[in-house]
Amino acid sequence: MDADVVIIGAGPNGLMLACELGLAGLAPVVLEALPGPAEEPKANGLLGQVVKLVERRGLYERIAGDPGPPRPTPSFPFAAMPLDLHRLDDNPVHTLAIPQPQLVRILADRAAELGARFRWGHAMTGLAQDADAVTVDVTGPDGPYRMAARYLAGADGGHSVTRKQCGIGFPGVSYDRSMLRWAHVSVPADRVDAATGGLDVPGYGIVPPFLAQRTEHGGFTYAPLPGRPPIIATTELDQPVTDAPMTLAELRDSIRRVLGADVPVGPPDGDGPHLLRRRVGGSNRRAERFRDGRVFLLGDAAHVDAAGGQGLNQGMQDAANLGWKLAAALRGDAPDGLLDTYDTERQLAARRVTMYAQALAALLAPGDDVTALRALFGELLGDRDTVRRLAGLTAGTDVRYDMGAPGPHPLTGYSAPDLDLRTGTGPVRLADLTRTARPLLLDLSGHGTLAAAMADWADRVDVLTATTTSDVTGLLLRPDCYVAWATSAPEPSEQDLAGLRDAAVRWFGVPVAGAVAP
Ligand SMILES: Cc1cc2nc3c(=O)[nH]c(=O)nc-3n(C[C@H](O)[C@H](O)[C@H](O)COP(=O)(O)OP(=O)(O)OC[C@H]3O[C@@H](n4cnc5c(N)ncnc54)[C@H](O)[C@@H]3O)c2cc1C
């Protein structure tokens, strides 16, 4: 056997999986067709729950360049309508700006530190599996060869060879009517509104930063990202398709059609590489299943959505969901059915994103009827509960997994909240406890009974006894930071303790008598 796990594709999601497996003590082989880390400019940042995930893996500072903690954004667009998130006391929408090539390099470095073995310039061309292993055909710089692994993770993008080799369908819709143009630009200083940081467009008005505009003729976004030239993007329907290189003049013409006004965009300042691109169409597609025996799909290989900002929020959380489950299976302590929960749970999350993407497309389309629908939506956005619901959908924090127990606590199944925790030595951040990606029991009951109930899992479950001002008295977290079990009982009953043990068996396997912490 050449590897426990072979990962196909060193995009951000395959690399995140390599990091997760590394934290679990595994050394996956990563096959990447490109000769080095991908330079293609795609995402400009992370949106939603994934920002908390990178914080909880100790990656926030490397990505953000500041120690954090991340702060939620006070406003974010939903179908080019502002969500007033500052009105929420539990605002879940975080953003973290980073160009994708930089993210890829950071994750590749981290994965290498954790033991991942990279084979750059090696493309997977075929696979076969039996009850014990996956055999992979690879073409590398020195020619074709074959390798074997216990499991294979296909993180090889929207055109996934893995998915095709497994005969897994990719149903959904592709749109070929829309054209996206985007570029790093400069704009005259007197066109930047000093009060809002928005773009002053005479004949149209002030375009707030990052708040997409929808007109009868298309979409327009002005994104002044920190430390880089601003990005301007337009979307239009039914544009002539051409192979000619994209130009700033083409972008300026597009802006004029969309806004009905001129923006004198110029070349960006500073060293490149700079964006200047157009792209036709987009897709909302989801693989029929994310597991085929010993093969798993994650990231764009499993789902693509035309809505901006969701690719990495989904894909990197796929990685966090899959990593610890594969590690448990390889160690031999995975409970029955654990690996199957990857498909169930991540399909659930992906379905939410498909709904989000399709709702956005409908609300951004041209037409008087859509304008009326938007007016109604605008009224609904005055309601704080509506804003909270859309914020959860945008951030992906409304995803609730079935943890198997009847009548679950309100926190069970969701990603863990950032409780204020305090131990004898002072305050503790949850993000500092989850970097190892191990199961974690927070005993907040004040008398240690929950911690004592976990003694038989000492080899697998970390325990912290702490206090909190919240009413929660106990939380059992999976390595992906989802709440497997919770209680608010001030004095945990025998029934509570039985529920805790059941959850531990369900997710981390039967205990070993006399287990000791590693
Ligand atoms: C213009 C644009 C803007 C975007 N903006 C955002 C954004 O702001 N936020 C966001 O979250 N998402 C955004 N996305 C989506 C995001 O970029 C993708 O979701 C993300 O790249 C998916 O990562 P991945 O690792 O799953 O796949 P990919 O990034 O596609 O990586 C797959 C890797 O697999 C390799 N590979 C493929 N086949 C093989 C093979 N047979 N053998 C070996 N290697 C192989 C490829 O070379 C590639 O490196 C944007 C996408 C685009 C195009």
Side-chain angles (χ1 to χ4, degrees):
M1 201 69 66
D2 301 292
D4 286 322
V5 183
V6 59
I7 299 172
I8 313 300
N13 298 323
L15 292 169
M16 186 68 188
L17 179 63
C19 293
E20 292 291 296
L21 294 171
L23 287 172
L26 296 167
V29 167
V30 183
L31 300 179
E32 168 54 56
L34 297 173
E39 291 295 334
E40 189 182 351
K42 290 184 177 175
N44 287 304
L46 306 180
L47 165 67
Q49 184 61 28
V50 66
V51 179
K52 300 300 294 179
L53 174 65
V54 297
E55 184 203 14
R56 289 171 177 183
R57 291 299 188 253
L59 289 166
Y60 182 83
E61 185 163 2
R62 291 188 192 208
I63 297 174
D66 72 72
R71 308 231 170 270
T73 182
S75 177
F76 197 80
F78 183 85
M81 290 175 275
L83 291 179
D84 289 335
L85 300 165
H86 57 85
R87 298 170 60 203
L88 304 180
D89 46 20
D90 50 355
N91 174 8
V93 183
H94 293 82
T95 57
L96 177 48
I98 182 160
Q100 188 159 321
Q102 201 177 324
L103 177 67
V104 163
R105 284 194 298 276
I106 290 170
L107 292 174
D109 287 349
R110 178 64 177 147
E113 284 166 24
L114 291 167
R117 294 168 285 164
F118 285 94
R119 297 187 189 174
W120 301 105
H122 291 238
M124 185 270 279
T125 55
L127 68 88
Q129 58 174 315
D130 60 24
D132 301 315
V134 187
T135 307
V136 187
D137 291 320
V138 186
T139 299
D142 299 325
Y145 66 96
R146 191 165 269 189
M147 65 173 287
R150 298 279 305 281
Y151 292 100
L152 181 147
D156 44 353
H159 300 285
S160 171
V161 177
T162 308
R163 192 183 62 234
K164 291 171 189 162
Q165 287 281 322
C166 291
I168 300 175
F170 203 38
V173 289
S174 290
Y175 309 97
D176 53 10
R177 287 185 61 199
S178 66
M179 182 176 285
L180 169 69
R181 296 181 176 91
W182 74 110
H184 281 123
V185 298
S186 60
V187 290
D190 63 359
R191 289 296 185 92
V192 178
D193 178 53
T196 61
L199 193 61
D200 187 359
V201 185
Y204 181 82
I206 306 277
V207 176
F210 304 106
L211 179 57
Q213 306 291 299
R214 176 258 184 195
T215 74
E216 279 302 315
H217 305 285
F220 175 89
T221 306
Y222 170 63
L225 291 162
R228 279 174 286 154
I231 293 176
I232 283 184
T234 64
T235 50
E236 291 182 271
L237 294 183
D238 303 325
Q239 286 284 295
V241 176
T242 167
D243 289 335
M246 168 76 179
T247 63
L248 282 179
E250 182 180 328
L251 179 67
R252 193 166 171 176
D253 288 346
S254 173
I255 296 169
R256 204 177 289 117
R257 286 191 297 272
V258 171
L259 296 183
D262 188 43
V263 177
V265 293
D269 299 324
D271 294 335
H274 290 132
L275 291 169
L276 183 59
R277 299 186 70 187
R278 76 168 91 72
R279 195 172 109 136
V280 180
S283 299
N284 292 328
R285 293 185 176 275
R286 201 168 60 242
E288 288 163 342
R289 54 188 192 282
F290 294 173
R291 178 182 187 190
D292 184 59
R294 297 187 159 269
V295 176
F296 296 82
L297 299 176
L298 71 153
D300 280 15
H303 39 66
V304 291
D305 290 284
Q310 293 294 338
L312 299 174
N313 194 25
Q314 278 195 89
M316 290 172 72
Q317 291 197 77
D318 290 346
N321 190 293
L322 181 58
W324 68 275
K325 294 176 183 174
L326 281 177
L330 284 160
R331 276 194 313 267
D333 55 34
D336 284 351
L338 183 69
L339 284 178
D340 284 331
T341 64
Y342 172 69
D343 179 77
T344 325
E345 294 180 348
R346 297 314 294 163
Q347 287 275 0
L348 172 73
R351 280 198 295 277
R352 301 288 301 166
V353 176
T354 304
M355 181 179 82
Y356 171 84
Q358 292 184 325
L360 290 198
L363 284 164
L364 290 167
D368 287 349
D369 48 352
V370 177
T371 304
L373 182 62
R374 292 176 63 83
L376 172 61
F377 234 84
E379 289 178 17
L380 294 175
L381 290 182
D383 175 355
R384 197 177 359 201
D385 283 344
T386 307
V387 174
R388 177 173 292 114
R389 179 177 288 258
L390 294 178
L393 181 64
T394 302
T397 48
D398 59 357
V399 172
R400 186 178 202 184
Y401 300 149
D402 178 4
M403 293 294 169
H409 185 276
L411 291 179
T412 301
Y414 290 107
S415 186
D418 279 332
L419 299 176
D420 63 313
L421 302 172
R422 183 168 281 279
T423 65
T425 53
V428 183
R429 287 172 57 202
L430 182 65
D432 292 330
L433 303 170
T434 53
R435 292 178 177 211
T436 52
R438 281 172 52 82
L440 174 67
L441 174 78
L442 298 176
D443 184 339
L444 312 172
S445 66
H447 25 70
T449 39
L450 301 175
M454 276 296 92
D456 289 346
W457 283 267
D459 58 334
R460 270 168 263 173
V461 180
D462 292 343
V463 174
L464 181 84
T465 303
T467 58
T468 175
T469 52
S470 104
D471 68 353
V472 181
T473 50
L475 276 185
L476 181 64
L477 305 188
R478 306 191 319 188
D480 57 0
C481 301
Y482 276 75
V483 178
W485 173 90
T487 183
S488 292
E491 295 283 341
S493 63
E494 271 311 312
Q495 200 182 348
D496 289 323
L497 296 178
L500 171 60
R501 288 192 202 96
D502 285 350
V505 169
R506 182 182 305 275
W507 295 107
F508 313 129
V510 288
V512 180
V516 288

